[in-house]
Amino acid sequence: MARRQGEEIERCKSVSTIQRMIGGKWKIEILFYIALKDVRHFGQLRRCIGNISESTLSKQLKELVDDGFLVRTDFGEVPSRVEYTLTEQGESFIPILLAMKRWGEEELGL
């Protein structure tokens, strides 16, 4: 619990859990491209994001899969073909992404 001028404030478990799940530097942007731009492949994501290393993108994708936002489908082909798609939980996050985008456009003039 945090303290504020002598009173204890209980930590918000839902917000701290969400922050842990999507708090990586690139996770929200990764979800944006997969959810709203229909980008499904590693190389496409890397080109869209630009300044991200392969290892960082791999790590963030794995964490999003582990946390239930994405499904990774490996087609077992050579050369390797893997697609990332939203889970039901990931799809439920789309309105939040849209609200964040709208807020950025309206409040930050982006």
Side-chain angles (χ1 to χ4, degrees), residues 1 6 9 20 38 46-47 58 67 70 79 84-86 103:
M1 288 195 195
I9 301 170
R20 180 195 55 77
D38 201 33
R46 187 144 188 248
R47 284 188 294 279
S58 291
D67 286 330
L70 299 177
Y84 294 91
T85 53
L86 294 176
W103 184 88

Side-chain angles (χ1 to χ4, degrees), residues 37-95:
K37 299 295 183 182
D38 201 33
V39 174
R40 295 173 181 244
H41 301 279
F42 185 92
Q44 290 176 308
L45 283 166
R46 187 144 188 248
R47 284 188 294 279
C48 288
I49 296 170
N51 195 19
I52 186 171
S53 69
E54 285 187 17
S55 62
T56 299
L57 180 55
S58 291
K59 181 177 184 263
Q60 303 252 305
L61 285 166
K62 182 182 181 326
E63 290 172 3
L64 287 166
V65 169
D66 291 345
D67 286 330
F69 282 91
L70 299 177
V71 172
R72 179 184 188 272
T73 305
D74 186 342
F75 292 93
E77 298 175 357
V78 177
S80 179
R81 184 167 70 107
V82 174
E83 285 187 357
Y84 294 91
T85 53
L86 294 176
T87 61
E88 193 172 311
Q89 177 177 302
E91 296 215 4
S92 73
F93 196 70
I94 291 174

